[in-house]
Amino acid sequence: SLRSEHGTHRLVRLSPFNAANKRQTSFAGVEVVPLLPDDQLLSIDIPPSDLEVTTMRAGGAGGQNVNKVESAVRLRHTPTGLTVRCQQERSQARNRELGLALLKAKLLLLAREQRAESVAELRAGAASASWGTQIRSYVLAPYRLVKDLRTGHEATNVQDVLDGRIEGFID
């Protein structure tokens, strides 16, 4: 399981950006969290009772049609208070479709933000990516070695490990 990869990983290499060719140490904080597919969240079904629909005249350029036909639509999702206004099309029905799609996108964004907050709660105990907290070191210079500091497991084929062949390091 990749849960054991959770923690700080340290990389030591000769920096290609340093003219003096000095060793550089970088840290990466690795977190393992579940990935929920967006289609699971996108199956947002908004009951008509949760929608407040208001029509109005669009205004702006467009000739006499703009002044006499209520083609603009404002959709308000009552539970969340999110509001969307759409006046792109000449047809009220088309504006309603576009507005509903935009409202669903906003609801998806809101769901993602809430998911991010719950993930932030999950990772509240995460260690900082810094000296003394690393679980594994990848040394590319002056010698080549990958060492897991929890188990003591070592490997000299650094490139294989960096390419994802980490079987020896996972419990």
Side-chain angles (χ1 to χ4, degrees):
S1 136
L2 289 174
R3 261 186 242 140
S4 62
E5 293 301 295
H6 184 88
T8 303
H9 294 247
R10 176 179 158 229
L11 174 69
V12 180
R13 66 184 182 138
L14 294 178
S15 174
F17 306 106
N18 188 324
N21 209 22
K22 293 187 176 184
R23 278 179 38 160
Q24 175 191 34
T25 300
S26 303
F27 294 94
V30 175
E31 299 175 33
V32 180
V33 293
L35 180 64
L36 301 175
D38 282 344
D39 60 337
Q40 190 177 35
L41 295 173
L42 239 182
S43 60
I44 296 173
D45 186 35
I46 304 172
S49 60
D50 286 355
L51 276 182
E52 195 177 289
V53 182
T54 313
T55 59
M56 68 215 75
R57 294 187 184 121
Q64 192 174 2
N65 181 64
V66 172
N67 297 324
K68 65 181 186 177
V69 178
E70 292 193 349
S71 59
V73 176
R74 180 183 299 125
L75 298 167
R76 183 174 183 271
H77 187 248
T78 318
T80 60
L82 287 174
T83 304
V84 171
R85 181 176 174 179
C86 187
Q87 62 181 36
Q88 291 171 276
E89 301 292 328
R90 292 177 58 113
S91 156
Q92 188 183 99
R94 183 70 180 127
N95 279 331
R96 185 183 168 106
E97 285 176 26
L98 289 172
L100 196 55
L102 190 57
L103 184 62
K104 284 184 177 184
K106 281 190 169 190
L107 287 170
L108 176 64
L109 187 61
L110 182 65
R112 281 185 180 165
E113 287 173 3
Q114 289 171 347
R115 182 174 57 174
E117 288 173 9
S118 65
V119 167
E121 289 173 15
L122 283 173
R123 61 180 289 245
S128 66
S130 61
W131 287 103
T133 61
Q134 65 265 22
I135 62 169
R136 188 169 308 135
S137 291
Y138 306 83
V139 181
L140 302 176
Y143 52 91
R144 301 179 65 75
L145 179 71
V146 179
K147 182 174 183 174
D148 193 311
L149 301 171
R150 297 164 300 171
T151 63
H153 183 75
E154 294 182 1
T156 55
N157 52 351
V158 179
Q159 194 57 49
D160 284 350
V161 175
L162 291 174
D163 287 339
R165 291 187 270 292
I166 57 172
E167 293 81 16
F169 295 97
I170 298 178
D171 335 50

